[in-house]
């Protein structure tokens, strides 16, 4: 909460970029777990039946994308997108390191000394003649979610006939209200989580345990399922 704010970035962009650069580098070496893969496989299978699976995620790690999910709404943005603070351009960025000055910088230890990288050496916009300072394209504390993405989310919530809540604390708003909103109109909601959450008693089903263990059998092809 100290680093993921517009104020922190304005005050010390080098420190915030160290924090995000470290997380980018960690995530570049990680792979989707069985739950991510089960969701992507379910989406592929159901699309052949003329049905759709939509993933609405607060995660910024892009593991759903890596697993092969196509219909993905990333409401909190992505570690691998940047936004220019000058021209506003949003671009995918998988460079490692994202800029030479950040190579090897950033660490999980809060006592780590800041690299104090000059602003001109931090990631810069590559649009013609801009060279503005880039920031991570993620939603920080105190910022609002993208209204266009929220509109898409609302559309999906209105038409869905089944909702799965997977591995979330159900305490971050507005996402924490998505599943209860669906449940309130009589749509079955199944929660997959290590433990009960403040929203558990609003849902029809709760599957305790690691999502990588509980979700794959739940999403596996049913013996009566017909694939054309």
């Amino acid at each position: 909460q100290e680093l993921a704010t517009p104020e922190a970035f304005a005050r010390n962009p080098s420190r915030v970029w160290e924090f995000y650069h470290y997380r980018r580098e960690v995530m570049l070496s990680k792979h989707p777990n069985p739950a991510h893969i089960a969701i992507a496989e379910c989406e592929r299978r159901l699309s052949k039946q003329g049905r759709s699976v939509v993933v609405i995620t607060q995660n910024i790690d892009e593991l759903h994308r890596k697993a092969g999910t196509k219909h993905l709404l990333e409401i909190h943005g992505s570690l691998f997108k940047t936004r220019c603070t000058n021209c506003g351009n949003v671009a995918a960025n998988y460079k490692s390191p994202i800029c030479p000055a950040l190579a090897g910088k950033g660490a999980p230890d809060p006592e780590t000394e800041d690299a104090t990288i000059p602003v001109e050496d931090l990631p810069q916009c590559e649009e013609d003649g801009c060279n503005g300072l880039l920031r991570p394209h993620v939603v920080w504390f105190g910022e609002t979610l993208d209204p266009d993405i929220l509109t898409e989310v609302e559309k999906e919530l209105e038409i869905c006939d089944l909702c799965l809540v997977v591995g979330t604390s159900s305490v971050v708003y507005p996402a924490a209200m998505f599943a209860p909103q669906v449940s309130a109109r009589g749509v079955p909601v199944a929660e997959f989580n290590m433990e009960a959450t403040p929203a558990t008693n609003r849902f029809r089903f709760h599957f305790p345990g690691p999502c990588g263990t509980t979700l794959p059998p739940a999403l596996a092809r049913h013996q009566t399922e017909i694939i054309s």
Side-chain angles (χ1 to χ4, degrees):
Q1 290 184 9
E2 285 178 29
L3 290 169
T5 69
E7 294 77 20
F9 191 70
R11 198 165 51 242
N12 192 342
S14 171
R15 189 176 196 218
V16 173
W17 260 120
E18 276 194 86
F19 174 62
Y20 280 95
H21 174 260
Y22 174 80
R23 297 169 81 199
R24 282 169 56 94
E25 295 297 304
V26 168
M27 288 317 307
L28 283 170
S29 71
K30 300 300 177 192
H31 302 286
N33 69 27
H36 294 104
I37 292 163
I39 291 167
E41 286 177 350
C42 183
E43 180 190 32
R44 276 194 296 276
R45 195 175 78 244
L46 265 58
S47 70
K48 292 175 185 170
Q49 303 170 27
R51 303 161 76 193
S52 77
V53 171
V54 182
V55 174
I56 300 165
T57 184
Q58 295 166 282
N59 295 344
I60 60 172
D61 53 30
E62 289 205 2
L63 287 175
H64 281 294
R65 199 179 294 277
K66 259 190 182 177
T69 291
K70 298 286 186 269
H71 200 162
L72 184 61
L73 298 174
E74 295 169 311
I75 61 173
H76 286 178
S78 164
L79 276 174
F80 300 101
K81 285 181 183 161
T82 57
R83 184 163 83 246
C84 179
T85 58
N86 183 37
C87 74
N89 183 60
V90 174
N93 187 312
Y94 296 91
K95 290 180 188 171
S96 174
I98 190 168
C99 68
L102 278 165
K105 303 298 182 190
D109 182 359
E111 302 305 315
T112 302
E113 199 171 319
D114 286 3
T116 57
I117 299 164
V119 171
E120 60 270 19
D121 292 336
L122 291 171
Q124 305 283 319
C125 182
E126 294 177 10
E127 289 295 290
D128 284 349
C130 181
N131 299 322
L133 174 64
L134 295 179
R135 57 161 279 179
H137 184 55
V138 297
V139 178
W140 283 334
F141 290 100
E143 294 184 324
T144 54
L145 303 189
D146 183 326
D148 292 339
I149 292 180
L150 275 184
T151 300
E152 281 191 68
V153 167
E154 285 299 328
K155 276 186 202 162
E156 295 300 336
L157 296 178
E158 283 167 17
I159 62 171
C160 80
D161 55 9
L162 173 66
C163 175
L164 308 183
V165 181
V166 183
T168 180
S169 61
S170 292
V171 295
V172 178
Y173 288 83
M177 279 311 298
F178 294 165
Q181 179 181 328
V182 168
S183 182
R185 64 178 180 84
V187 173
V189 176
E191 182 182 52
F192 295 80
N193 214 339
M194 293 293 286
E195 55 203 26
T197 71
T200 298
N201 62 3
R202 301 195 194 191
F203 305 145
R204 201 177 300 179
F205 305 102
H206 175 78
F207 297 92
C211 301
T213 304
T214 57
L215 203 58
L219 295 185
R221 182 182 175 187
H222 193 268
Q223 57 194 21
T224 61
E225 198 175 321
I226 298 167
I227 300 177
S228 56

